[in-house]
Amino acid sequence: MNKIITLPSLVALLAEKAGITHAEAEQFINAFTTLTGDVLASAEQIKIKGIGTFHLSDIGSSPIVFMPDPDLAAKVNEPFSFFEAVELNDGVTEEMLAPADQPAAELPEPEPEPQPEHEHEPETEPEPAIEIPEQEPVPSPEIPEPEAEPAPQPEIEPEPQPQAEPEIPEQEAEPEADTPVHEEINNAPEETVNNVVDNEEVTAQEDDDNAPYNSFFPTYWVIWAAVVGILIGFAIGFFTHDPVMDAFFPIETEIISDEAEAEENTVAALDSIIEEITTTPAQQADTVAETKPAPQPEVQSQAQPEPAAAETEVYDTITKSCFLTTLAYKHYGKKDYWVYIYMDNTDKIRNPDMVRPGTRVRIPPKSKYATAPTEEENLRAARNKAAEIYRKYK
Amino acid sequence: MDNKTFTSRLARALDIDPKDAAERLEAFAAVIAERTADLDTIAIPGFGNFTSTKHEESISTDLATGRRMLLPPQITVDFVPGSMLKKKVRHE
């Protein structure tokens, strides 16, 4: 430390370090210095790894400037490599750092810690400071508030203030105004008790129900219930009214139109009958009173053609329990003659196995399709026709 | 002159292998680093002195921002050329 290493010492150190003899070490040092001088004399800089850079300079008193190599600087400053530049706070002064330098010159970081008592670490100090204002107001309870409260506020953190306040006002307020304070104090526990009871009830109610269900019930359950209800309603409507089929096969409109036509026909027939009824008594009333019962048979005779016309076009309705075969058995006595009904209602029925209930079909007379002379041939023809119809839809 | 050229010329002057010259030069740099780290002064007659100076921790103030930095201690290595080297460089 702070020694001067002379040439013999340097030779010895180099010989030991490089594992060479002293003569070789001395010869190396001489060659090093001579070569460096020669190069510098030629105004050329030298960069030697591990040592630094030598170059000439006209600035300053020394003509040679040496820049240590970064490796050399790092090796030399290795004991201080753990330290880093630290930004100082405003309260730290050089006087605070000075005492720490004397005992340990190599430990600059612990210096700020013991000194900044008031500026940097107020958390440990305020606790005794809180106790002092509490004890002082007790002997003189009449004038404590203006003196005790402002004192801790500027220096102490806001945290200790609420701790000191509840104790001081109780002791101070007793001599000055007992009743309001006591009322407040007395009322306060009741309110708090009520609040506590309410809170307990509420918490008890809340404890009964799990929190996840509480959050789940009002939102998801309602949504799920609505969705399930909609799906169920849609399913019921689909299987009963079959709106999809209605959209593709608008049969109901045809039925309605047929029904409307039939109603119009019946209404027209009834109108004609009513006209006849109304006209005939008026005409006959002038002539003979005895002929009054005459209109009745006329009406009957006029009304008779209507059932005859109704017999020509018989209508029936297909239900869930009444199919084409059922209607055929009902009107023709044989189920196999359902093809007659089908052929006469091809404008309403397409697939004979998918006739919707409620379809009003026209029942043709048997003679319209049963053209064969014998019943067996008609049955055979009807079966062949049925096979032909089914072939279309299978 | 870079390190490689200097090493080769040093090996030629010493009439040794460049590799050996590089090893010796590396050992020489290590000796300088060790001694200067102990704040010793290496005095080489006719050439100069390798000196080291320890700078204690200090407070650096930025005049622009007012920020103050506590700098750690530092050792700087310097070279003071000898009189003969000065004369040689100045061609006196």
Side-chain angles (χ1 to χ4, degrees):
Chain A
M1 185 75 78
N2 294 325
K3 292 187 297 187
I4 295 175
I5 306 298
T6 58
L7 183 61
S9 301
L10 181 63
V11 168
L13 290 170
L14 179 61
E16 183 182 358
K17 192 76 174 178
I20 56 178
T21 62
H22 286 235
E24 290 174 341
E26 186 174 4
Q27 187 180 3
F28 173 81
I29 291 171
N30 290 330
F32 176 84
T33 56
T34 305
L35 180 61
T36 303
D38 292 342
V39 172
L40 288 174
S42 62
E44 188 176 3
Q45 72 172 9
I46 307 167
K47 185 174 184 179
I48 303 170
K49 183 180 178 182
I51 296 177
T53 304
F54 298 91
H55 62 91
L56 299 179
S57 174
D58 296 332
I59 302 172
S61 59
S62 175
I64 299 171
V65 175
F66 173 72
M67 294 292 291
D69 192 73
D71 293 339
L72 176 63
K75 285 181 182 178
V76 168
N77 290 289
E78 193 173 1
F80 314 114
S81 61
F82 299 101
F83 299 108
E84 291 180 355
V86 179
E87 184 178 0
L88 296 175
N89 294 326
D90 296 335
V92 178
T93 60
E94 294 183 0
E95 290 76 12
M96 294 176 182
L97 300 175
D101 291 340
Q102 295 175 356
E106 295 181 357
L107 298 173
E109 286 190 351
E111 295 168 4
E113 296 179 358
Q115 289 297 329
E117 295 178 353
H118 299 285
E119 289 81 4
H120 294 282
E121 294 180 355
E123 295 179 355
T124 55
E125 292 295 326
E127 292 182 357
I130 296 165
E131 295 176 0
I132 294 169
E134 288 178 356
Q135 294 174 357
E136 289 178 357
V138 173
S140 61
E142 294 181 356
I143 321 167
E145 287 188 356
E147 294 180 0
E149 290 183 356
Q153 284 180 354
E155 295 181 358
I156 300 170
E157 292 181 356
E159 294 180 357
Q161 189 173 356
Q163 295 177 358
E165 285 180 352
E167 294 180 1
I168 295 169
E170 290 178 356
Q171 296 175 356
E172 296 168 0
E174 287 179 0
E176 293 178 358
D178 292 336
T179 54
V181 173
H182 283 295
E183 287 177 357
E184 292 177 358
I185 292 169
N186 291 328
N187 292 330
E190 293 177 357
E191 293 176 354
T192 55
V193 169
N194 293 328
N195 292 330
V196 169
V197 172
D198 294 337
N199 291 329
E200 287 178 356
E201 292 176 353
V202 171
T203 53
Q205 291 176 356
E206 290 178 355
D207 290 335
D208 293 336
D209 300 326
N210 292 326
Y213 285 100
N214 286 333
S215 61
F216 178 75
F217 181 78
T219 56
Y220 292 102
W221 271 105
V222 171
I223 294 170
W224 276 110
V227 170
V228 170
I230 291 168
L231 290 175
I232 290 171
F234 183 75
I236 290 169
F238 180 80
F239 286 111
T240 56
H241 297 290
D242 200 0
V244 178
M245 293 295 290
D246 290 341
F248 289 103
F249 307 106
I251 296 171
E252 280 187 356
T253 57
E254 297 177 356
I255 294 167
I256 290 167
S257 62
D258 293 338
E259 288 177 352
E261 291 175 357
E263 287 177 357
E264 287 176 357
N265 293 329
T266 53
V267 168
L270 288 172
D271 289 339
S272 62
I273 291 166
I274 290 165
E275 287 176 357
E276 289 176 356
I277 290 169
T278 52
T279 53
T280 51
Q283 292 173 355
Q284 291 176 0
D286 296 334
T287 59
V288 182
E290 292 180 355
T291 58
K292 286 182 181 177
Q296 293 179 354
E298 288 181 1
V299 170
Q300 290 177 357
S301 62
Q302 292 292 330
Q304 281 176 356
E306 184 184 355
E311 284 178 1
T312 56
E313 290 187 357
V314 178
Y315 287 89
D316 208 337
T317 305
I318 292 175
T319 62
K320 288 184 178 178
S321 60
C322 187
F323 314 113
L324 289 173
T325 54
T326 313
L327 293 178
Y329 183 78
K330 179 182 173 185
H331 292 279
Y332 308 131
K334 291 287 183 182
K335 293 182 180 179
D336 294 326
Y337 291 142
W338 63 267
V339 292
Y340 300 160
I341 303 171
Y342 175 82
M343 287 189 294
D344 205 59
N345 293 277
T346 50
D347 55 340
K348 300 176 184 176
I349 303 169
R350 288 178 177 78
N351 191 344
D353 288 338
M354 295 181 70
V355 181
R356 289 190 307 106
T359 304
R360 187 178 171 83
V361 294
R362 188 171 52 253
I363 308 297
K366 187 181 177 183
S367 58
K368 184 176 181 181
Y369 294 101
T371 55
T374 61
E375 185 73 12
E376 291 179 358
E377 289 179 356
N378 287 330
L379 283 174
R380 195 178 300 114
R383 286 167 189 162
N384 292 333
K385 187 67 179 175
E388 185 182 345
I389 292 166
Y390 275 121
R391 208 174 296 126
K392 248 192 275 181
Y393 296 99
K394 288 184 179 177
Chain B
M1 180 180 289
D2 59 355
N3 184 68
K4 186 177 180 180
T5 308
F6 183 80
T7 304
S8 63
R9 288 187 62 176
L10 192 62
R12 203 179 311 141
L14 292 171
D15 195 15
I16 58 174
D17 190 68
K19 187 177 178 181
D20 295 337
E23 289 178 357
R24 293 178 189 184
L25 185 61
E26 186 176 354
F28 184 62
V31 169
I32 292 172
E34 289 175 2
R35 292 298 95 199
T36 52
D38 288 342
L39 302 179
D40 293 339
T41 300
I42 299 171
I44 303 173
F47 183 69
N49 297 338
F50 287 99
T51 61
S52 59
T53 306
K54 182 184 178 184
H55 303 278
E56 299 294 346
E57 62 272 14
S58 60
I59 296 173
S60 174
T61 304
D62 188 351
L63 298 176
T65 61
R67 293 174 57 189
R68 298 186 307 158
M69 301 294 293
L70 179 62
L71 303 177
Q74 186 181 14
I75 295 175
T76 57
V77 179
D78 198 2
F79 174 73
V80 180
S83 59
M84 291 185 66
L85 183 59
K86 287 180 181 178
K87 289 181 180 177
K88 189 175 184 179
V89 169
R90 291 171 181 165
H91 303 285
E92 293 177 352

